[in-house]
C-alpha cells in the first residue's frame, strides 16, 4: 500500500512538473543564446562592470548588411531594394538605415565658432609659442592663396588665420574608413564599391522569435538580390544572426545526440531483455528526469542555456543506468524474482552511486559561471529524479520474472566474470597499473592547456567571414578591449583622457590602431583651452595679429571683428558638445562626471594597448575576454586540486561501509582518470576547464561501477551485465557529445567518453577484494 502511494505521489510530481514546463515552453523555445549569459561578473569594480554593459550594447545589438558590386550605381540600387525588403518585415527589424542622416554642412562651424578663441591644432599652438609673427604671416598667406581645404571651411572674416579650420580638419568626424556618397555609407575597397545598411532588431537579438524573423528575411533578401542583381554580393552579420545560428546548432545537436542515444538504448533493451514492456519502462526514468530537471531550472532561471540543452541530451545515457542495473538484477534472479526484495538489495548501491555521481555536479554548482551552474542543476536534479523513478515505479511495474529465453544475455557477463576470477590477482593488477603509468608518462608530458574564452563558441564560418570582411572594409575595431578613465573631478578626468589619447597616437601612426573613439578627441581639456586662448590673446594684444592683417589689406572693422571674436570666445565644455548633434556618438561613452570610456578600433593585439596605458594614472584597460580567460585558468587550477581532494573524500565516505577496502574501490576510477589525461596528451587535446569538469563526472560515474561490482556478494553475472549496460549507454551518449561542434561540449564529451570507458575496464579490479557481506546477490 505504501509503495503504491509513493508511486502515485511521484507520478503526480512529474505531471505537475510537466505542466509547469509546458506552460513556460509555450509560445516558443525559451533558449538562452547570449554567450555573455554563460559568463561571470569578471570586473569587480562597479564602474568597470557598467562599462562592460555599455560597450556590449554599443557593439552587439544591430545587424549590418554589406552590399558589394563593381560599380557604385549597381551597389546603390541593390542597397535600396535590400532596405525595402528588410523594412517590410516588422517582426525582424524596427528600423532600417540605408541613407546617412542629412547633416548641415555648417553644423561643425556653428558648434565651434563661439569657441574659436580657445581651439588650436597642436602644431599651431607650438608654432605660435615659438615664433608668433612668422606663424601668423605663414598661416595668413596659406589662407589667402592655398586651394580650398577639404572638410568644414570657415570664411575669411570668421577665421582670418585659418586656425579654426585647421582645428576642425583634425577632428575624427568620419565613421572609420567610410564616407558618405550620394547619401549612402560607402567605402571603396579592392576595386569594388561597398555600401553598408544598418538594421535595428525589433526586440532583443536573443529572443527566439526575433532571431527566426531576422534569419528568414535576411536569407529572403539575399536571394531576391541575387535574382535581380546577379553580380552583387550581400553579406550580413550581427548578434541576432550569430544567436540564431547558435540556437539552431544547439537544437540540432540536442535532437541528434538525444535521438541517437535513445534509439541505441531502445535497441539495447530489446536485444538483451526481449521484452516490449522493458522498452517503455526503461524510458520512464529518462522522461521523469528530463521533465522535472527542465521545470526545476525554469523555477530558478528565465531561460535554458545552449550548454544545458547539450547536457540534457547526454543525461539520457546517465539516467538509464539505474534502470539497467534493476533490469539486470531481475534477469539474474530468474523465476525467483521478487521486485520489492530486489529493490531492497539494490538500494545501498543505488544510493551510493547517486551520491558519488552528484559529488561531481556539486563542484559545477560552486562555479561562478551561470551557464555551468544551470547545467549542473539540470543534471543533478535529473539524476536524482531518475533514480527516484526506479525506486518508486519499477518494483510495481516489473513484478513478474523475465522469460527464460532472456537468460542467454548472461552468457557474456558470466564468461567475463570467469576470466576475471581466474586471471585477476593483486600482483597482476599492480603490475598492470605500473605499466599503465609508464606508458602514460609521454602523454602527461605532452599535455598542454588552453583557457581561451572562444572555446565556448563555434562561429558559423559564413558569419565569421562576413564580420572580418566588414571590419576590413569599414576600418572598424577587431577586438573587445576598451579603456575606463577615471578622475577625481571633470578637470582631472579630461587631463587623463587627453594623456591616454596622446599615448595611443603612436599606435595610430604605426597602423596598429585605425581610430580611437574618445571624447577628448573632440573636447580638449579646459587647461589646454585656456593656454590656447592665452596664446591667441597675446598675439592680438601685442599687435602681431593686427600688423599681419593690415599688411594683407584687411579693413579696420574686419580686424576689430576678428579681435572681438577671440576676446569674447568661451571654452568648449563637454556638456555643450554632448548636447549638440555632433556629440551624439560620444554620449554613451560618459559613465559619470568622473568616468568615461575610450574605445580603440582596429587593434590586432592586446599587448600594445596594455603597454600604452601602463604608466597612466586613473586609466584601466578592460578586456572582458581576457578576464574570463584568466578566470577559466584560475578555476581550471582550482578544479584540478579539488579533483585530487575528491579521492580521499570518497574513501572517507565509503570507509564506513567498506573499511580499508574503500581504497581499492576508489583506485580503478583514479587509474582511469590518469590514463584519460595521458590519452588527451597523445591526441594533442589542450586541457581546459571543461575537460577537468568532465573528469570530475568521470569520477562519480566510474565509481558507480566499482561500487556495484563490490556490492555483489555472489559474483552474479547479472550485476556484471548491469555494469556493462550502464557503461554502454553512457559511452553512447558521451561519445556522441564528443562530436559536438561546440568546443566546450566536445572537450567535455571526449573526456567523459574516454574516462568512462577506462573506468569500466578498470572496475573489475575490485573483484580481488573479499566479497561484501551484504549486497546485490541473492
Amino acid at each position: 500500500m505504501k509503495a503504491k502511494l509513493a508511486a502515485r505521489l511521484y507520478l503526480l510530481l512529474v505531471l505537475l512538473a510537466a505542466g509547469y514546463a509546458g506552460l513556460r515552453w509555450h509560445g516558443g523555445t525559451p533558449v538562452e543564446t547570449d554567450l555573455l549569459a554563460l559568463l561571470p561578473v569578471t570586473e569587480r569594480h562597479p564602474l568597470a562592470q557598467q562599462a562592460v554593459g555599455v560597450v556590449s550594447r554599443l557593439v552587439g545589438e544591430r545587424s549590418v548588411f554589406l552590399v558589394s558590386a563593381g560599380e557604385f550605381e549597381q551597389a546603390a540600387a541593390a542597397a535600396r531594394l535590400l532596405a525595402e525588403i528588410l523594412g517590410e518585415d516588422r517582426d525582424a527589424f524596427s528600423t532600417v538605415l540605408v541613407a546617412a542622416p542629412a547633416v548641415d554642412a555648417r553644423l561643425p562651424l556653428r558648434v565651434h565658432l563661439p569657441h574659436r578663441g580657445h581651439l588650436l591644432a597642436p602644431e599651431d599652438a607650438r608654432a605660435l609659442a615659438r615664433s608668433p609673427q612668422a606663424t601668423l604671416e605663414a598661416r595668413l598667406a596659406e589662407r589667402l592663396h592655398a586651394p580650398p581645404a577639404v572638410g568644414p571651411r570657415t570664411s575669411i572674416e570668421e577665421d582670418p588665420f585659418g586656425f579654426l579650420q585647421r582645428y576642425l580638419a583634425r577632428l575624427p568626424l568620419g565613421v572609420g574608413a567610410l564616407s558618405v556618397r550620394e547619401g549612402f555609407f560607402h567605402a571603396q575597397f579592392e576595386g569594388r564599391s561597398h555600401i553598408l545598411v544598418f538594421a535595428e532588431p525589433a526586440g532583443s537579438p536573443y529572443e527566439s522569435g526575433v532571431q527566426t524573423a531576422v534569419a528568414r528575411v535576411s536569407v529572403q533578401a539575399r536571394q531576391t538580390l541575387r535574382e535581380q542583381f546577379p553580380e552583387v554580393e550581400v553579406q550580413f552579420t550581427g548578434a541576432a544572426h550569430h544567436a540564431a545560428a547558435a540556437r539552431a546548432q544547439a537544437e540540432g545537436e540536442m535532437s541528434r545526440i538525444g535521438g541517437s542515444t535513445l534509439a541505441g538504448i531502445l535497441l539495447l533493451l530489446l536485444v538483451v531483455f526481449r521484452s516490449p514492456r522493458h522498452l517503455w519502462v526503461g524510458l520512464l526514468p529518462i522522461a521523469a528526469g528530463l521533465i522535472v530537471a527542465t521545470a526545476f531550472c525554469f523555477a530558478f532561471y528565465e531561460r535554458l542555456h545552449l550548454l544545458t540543452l547539450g547536457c540534457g541530451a547526454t543525461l539520457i545515457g546517465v539516467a538509464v543506468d539505474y534502470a539497467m542495473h534493476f533490469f539486470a538484477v531481475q534477469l539474474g534472479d530468474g523465476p525467483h524474482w521478487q521486485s520489492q526484495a530486489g529493490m531492497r538489495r539494490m538500494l545501498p548501491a543505488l544510493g551510493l552511486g547517486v551520491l558519488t555521481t552528484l559529488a561531481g555536479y556539486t563542484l559545477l554548482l560552486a562555479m561562478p559561471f551561470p551557464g555551468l551552474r544551470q547545467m549542473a542543476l539540470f543534471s543533478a536534479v535529473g539524476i536524482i529524479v531518475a533514480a527516484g523513478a526506479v525506486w518508486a515505479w519499477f518494483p510495481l511495474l516489473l513484478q513478474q520474472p523475465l522469460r527464460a529465453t532472456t537468460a542467454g544475455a548472461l552468457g557474456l557477463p558470466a564468461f567475463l566474470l570467469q576470466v576475471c576470477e581466474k586471471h585477476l590477482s593483486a600482483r597482476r593488477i599492480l603490475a598492470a597499473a605500473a605499466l599503465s603509468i609508464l606508458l602514460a608518462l609521454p602523454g602527461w608530458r605532452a599535455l598542454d592547456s588552453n583557457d581561451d574564452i572562444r572555446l565556448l563558441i563555434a562561429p558559423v564560418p559564413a558569419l565569421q567571414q562576413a564580420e572580418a570582411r566588414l571590419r576590413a572594409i569599414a576600418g572598424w575595431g577587431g577586438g573587445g578591449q576598451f579603456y575606463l578613465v577615471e578622475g577625481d573631478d571633470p578637470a582631472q578626468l579630461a587631463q587623463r583622457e587627453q594623456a591616454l589619447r596622446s599615448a595611443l597616437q603612436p599606435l595610430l601612426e604605426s597602423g596598429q590602431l585605425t581610430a580611437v573613439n574618445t571624447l577628448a578627441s573632440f573636447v580638449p581639456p579646459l587647461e589646454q583651452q585656456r593656454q590656447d586662448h592665452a596664446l591667441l590673446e597675446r598675439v592680438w594684444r601685442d599687435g602681431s595679429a593686427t600688423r599681419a592683417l593690415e599688411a594683407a589689406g584687411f579693413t579696420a572693422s574686419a580686424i576689430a571683428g576678428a579681435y572681438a571674436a577671440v576676446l569674447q570666445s568661451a571654452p568648449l565644455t563637454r556638456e555643450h558638445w554632448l548636447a549638440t548633434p555632433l556629440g551624439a556618438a560620444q554620449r554613451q561613452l560618459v559613465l559619470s562626471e568622473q568616468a568615461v570610456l575610450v574605445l580603440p578600433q582596429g587593434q590586432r593585439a592586446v599587448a600594445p594597448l596594455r603597454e600604452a596605458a601602463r604608466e597612466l594614472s586613473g586609466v584601466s584597460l578592460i578586456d572582458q575576454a581576457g578576464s574570463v580567460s584568466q578566470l577559466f585558468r584560475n578555476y581550471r587550477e582550482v578544479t584540478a586540486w579539488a579533483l585530487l581532494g575528491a579521492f580521499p573524500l570518497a574513501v572517507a565516505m565509503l570507509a564506513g561501509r567498506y573499511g580499508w577496502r574503500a581504497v581499492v574501490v576508489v583506485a580503478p576510477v583514479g587509474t582511469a582518470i590518469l590514463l584519460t589525461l595521458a590519452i588527451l596528451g597523445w591526441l594533442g587535446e589542450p586541457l581546459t576547464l571543461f575537460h577537468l569538469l568532465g573528469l570530475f563526472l568521470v569520477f562519480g560515474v566510474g565509481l558507480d561501477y566499482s561500487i556495484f561490482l563490490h556490492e555483489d556478494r555472489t559474483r552474479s553475472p547479472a550485476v556484471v551485465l548491469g555494469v556493462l549496460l550502464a557503461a554502454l549507454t553512457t559511452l553512447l551518449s558521451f561519445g556522441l557529445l564528443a562530436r559536438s561542434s561546440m568546443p566546450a561540449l566536445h572537450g567535455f564529451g571526449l573526456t567523459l567518453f574516454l574516462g568512462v570507458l577506462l573506468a569500466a575496464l578498470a572496475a573489475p579490479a575490485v573483484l580481488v577484494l573479499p566479497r561484501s557481506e551484504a549486497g546485490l546477490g541473492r
Side-chain angles (χ1 to χ4, degrees):
M1 186 64 182
K2 291 182 179 179
K4 289 183 179 180
L5 179 61
R8 288 169 181 167
L9 290 175
Y10 210 82
L11 178 60
L12 179 62
L13 168 69
V14 175
L15 291 176
L16 289 173
Y20 176 68
L23 287 174
R24 291 293 302 273
W25 211 277
H26 180 68
T29 308
V31 177
E32 178 58 77
T33 53
D34 184 3
L35 289 172
L36 294 179
L38 267 177
L39 307 180
V41 176
T42 58
E43 312 298 342
R44 295 302 173 189
H45 192 305
L47 272 177
Q49 191 57 39
Q50 180 187 348
V52 169
V54 168
V55 174
S56 297
R57 290 192 298 273
L58 280 174
V59 302
E61 295 291 327
R62 64 187 176 184
S63 293
V64 184
F65 294 79
L66 181 67
V67 181
S68 306
E71 301 295 334
F72 170 77
E73 292 74 15
Q74 194 175 33
R80 290 191 194 95
L81 178 59
L82 172 66
E84 182 180 338
I85 297 172
L86 298 179
E88 289 174 352
D89 194 333
R90 289 299 177 182
D91 292 333
F93 297 112
S94 58
T95 57
V96 178
L97 181 64
V98 64
V103 177
D104 184 352
R106 286 191 58 83
L107 178 61
L109 301 181
R110 288 203 302 272
V111 170
H112 291 89
L113 276 173
H115 315 284
R116 74 192 86 171
H118 288 76
L119 303 175
L120 285 173
E123 59 271 21
D124 287 341
R126 290 191 295 269
L128 281 174
R130 186 171 54 250
S131 51
Q133 190 66 47
T135 300
L136 291 170
E137 292 172 358
R139 296 292 184 267
L140 183 59
E142 179 182 332
R143 186 81 164 112
L144 294 173
H145 305 295
V150 176
R153 283 181 285 178
T154 57
S155 67
I156 193 75
E157 294 81 8
E158 296 168 331
D159 184 27
F161 295 101
F163 288 135
L164 180 60
Q165 182 168 289
R166 290 167 61 84
Y167 172 84
L168 292 176
R170 292 178 57 89
L171 293 183
L173 295 174
V175 185
L178 298 178
S179 62
V180 177
R181 180 175 175 181
E182 297 183 18
F184 293 98
F185 294 105
H186 174 263
Q188 196 72 23
F189 186 75
E190 296 180 347
R192 288 171 65 84
S193 284
H194 306 274
I195 292 177
L196 267 64
V197 177
F198 301 93
E200 293 291 337
S204 168
Y206 305 108
E207 291 283 346
S208 59
V210 173
Q211 293 168 15
T212 302
V214 166
R216 180 187 64 244
V217 73
S218 299
V219 172
Q220 174 193 338
R222 181 158 58 185
Q223 183 62 34
T224 302
L225 262 64
R226 280 177 179 170
E227 294 172 357
Q228 299 196 25
F229 302 94
E231 296 185 2
V232 169
E233 181 185 5
V234 179
Q235 293 177 295
F236 48 78
T237 188
H241 301 282
H242 282 286
R247 180 170 63 89
Q249 183 184 71
E251 291 177 349
E253 289 190 355
M254 182 182 68
S255 300
R256 186 176 67 254
I257 293 172
S260 301
T261 303
L262 194 58
I265 290 171
L266 292 175
L267 181 61
L268 199 60
L269 288 172
L270 191 60
V271 169
V272 174
F273 299 106
R274 304 178 188 178
S275 166
R277 185 178 186 84
H278 283 69
L279 292 182
W280 66 265
V281 172
L283 296 179
L284 290 179
I286 299 174
L290 292 176
I291 288 170
V292 177
T294 301
F296 206 81
C297 282
F298 278 145
F300 291 93
Y301 297 92
E302 188 67 26
R303 295 172 174 273
L304 290 180
H305 203 279
L306 296 177
L307 204 61
T308 305
L309 291 178
C311 176
T314 63
L315 183 63
I316 294 173
V318 180
V320 80
D321 284 3
Y322 308 121
M324 292 296 189
H325 287 298
F326 190 89
F327 295 162
V329 172
Q330 181 190 19
L331 180 63
D333 282 1
H336 306 291
W337 168 248
Q338 293 180 354
S339 60
Q340 293 295 347
M343 186 73 251
R344 284 194 296 271
R345 295 199 313 274
M346 181 179 162
L347 199 56
L350 180 64
L352 285 173
V354 170
L355 284 176
T356 53
T357 302
L358 289 179
Y361 288 106
T362 302
L363 174 74
L364 273 68
L365 284 170
M367 290 289 171
F369 297 92
L372 293 183
R373 287 202 301 265
Q374 188 187 89
M375 184 187 79
L377 181 66
F378 187 95
S379 301
V381 171
I383 285 173
I384 292 171
V385 173
V390 172
W391 167 79
W393 294 337
F394 278 33
L396 295 176
L397 296 173
L398 299 172
Q399 296 183 17
Q400 299 301 317
L402 281 165
R403 291 177 297 178
T405 55
T406 60
L410 297 175
L412 178 61
F415 171 74
L416 294 175
L417 194 57
Q418 289 176 3
V419 171
C420 290
E421 290 183 337
K422 182 178 180 180
H423 296 287
L424 280 183
S425 66
R427 181 177 297 176
R428 287 179 175 175
I429 290 173
L430 289 175
L435 180 62
S436 298
I437 290 174
L438 286 175
L439 292 174
L441 285 174
W444 295 338
R445 293 185 62 182
L447 267 179
D448 198 3
S449 61
N450 186 355
D451 303 298
D452 196 330
I453 185 180
R454 286 172 291 186
L455 293 170
L456 287 173
I457 58 175
V460 177
L463 292 176
Q464 198 173 23
Q465 181 183 7
E467 190 164 323
R469 184 165 178 78
L470 182 64
R471 291 184 186 280
I473 292 172
W476 291 344
Q481 302 82 28
F482 58 92
Y483 293 100
L484 172 65
V485 184
E486 299 174 86
D488 295 333
D489 52 59
Q492 186 184 65
L493 176 65
Q495 290 173 356
R496 289 178 171 178
E497 189 179 3
Q498 183 63 37
L500 173 61
R501 182 170 175 268
S502 301
L504 294 175
Q505 190 60 34
L507 300 183
L508 289 166
E509 294 171 356
S510 64
Q512 295 181 71
L513 290 178
T514 57
V516 178
N517 190 359
T518 169
L519 192 54
S521 298
F522 302 94
V523 185
L526 289 178
E527 182 60 31
Q528 179 183 325
Q529 292 189 56
R530 293 190 188 101
Q531 293 173 5
D532 291 347
H533 182 68
L535 282 173
L536 290 171
E537 190 176 31
R538 187 178 67 191
V539 297
W540 279 100
R541 288 189 184 279
D542 67 12
S544 299
T546 301
R547 288 192 297 272
L549 292 176
E550 286 176 343
F554 279 70
T555 65
S557 61
I559 295 173
Y563 184 19
V566 170
L567 293 179
Q568 295 169 8
S569 170
L572 175 62
T573 64
R574 294 184 167 217
E575 293 75 17
H576 177 68
W577 166 263
L578 293 172
T580 69
L582 294 178
Q586 282 71 48
R587 286 171 197 158
Q588 295 188 69
L589 301 182
V590 180
L591 302 181
S592 69
E593 291 186 354
Q594 289 82 38
V596 295
L597 302 179
V598 173
L599 307 183
Q601 295 183 4
Q603 63 269 30
R604 295 180 177 85
V606 183
L609 298 181
R610 186 174 288 111
E611 184 62 31
R614 186 180 300 278
E615 304 297 329
L616 300 180
S617 299
V619 177
S620 306
L621 177 65
I622 307 298
D623 178 14
Q624 193 185 22
S627 299
V628 177
S629 295
Q630 181 61 43
L631 198 62
F632 270 30
R633 176 180 178 178
N634 294 342
Y635 275 89
R636 175 174 55 80
E637 294 172 351
V638 169
T639 303
W641 286 108
L643 184 59
L644 286 175
F647 286 94
L649 179 62
V651 171
M653 288 174 61
L654 298 176
R657 183 171 177 83
Y658 299 148
W660 65 268
R661 293 171 295 179
V663 176
V664 183
V665 173
V666 174
V669 72
T671 304
I673 287 175
L674 291 175
L675 291 178
T676 299
L677 288 170
I679 294 174
L680 291 175
W682 289 331
L683 294 175
E685 185 85 7
L687 200 62
T688 69
L689 172 63
F690 298 97
H691 290 86
L692 283 170
L693 293 175
L695 289 177
F696 235 98
L697 299 186
V698 167
F699 179 80
V701 174
L703 194 53
D704 282 2
Y705 306 149
S706 297
I707 290 172
F708 273 90
L709 288 176
H710 185 55
E711 283 286 326
D712 176 22
R713 65 181 181 181
T714 63
R715 298 292 187 260
S716 168
V719 175
V720 177
L721 177 63
V723 171
L724 284 175
L725 293 176
L728 284 173
T729 54
T730 304
L731 288 172
L732 177 62
S733 60
F734 289 120
L736 291 170
L737 187 64
R739 297 179 61 84
S740 172
S741 58
M742 293 182 68
L745 288 180
H746 161 76
F748 190 70
L750 178 62
T751 303
L752 276 160
F753 176 80
L754 294 172
V756 168
L757 175 63
L758 292 169
L761 293 174
V766 302
L767 295 176
V768 302
L769 291 171
R771 299 187 181 190
S772 179
E773 296 179 0
L776 292 168
R778 286 185 57 83

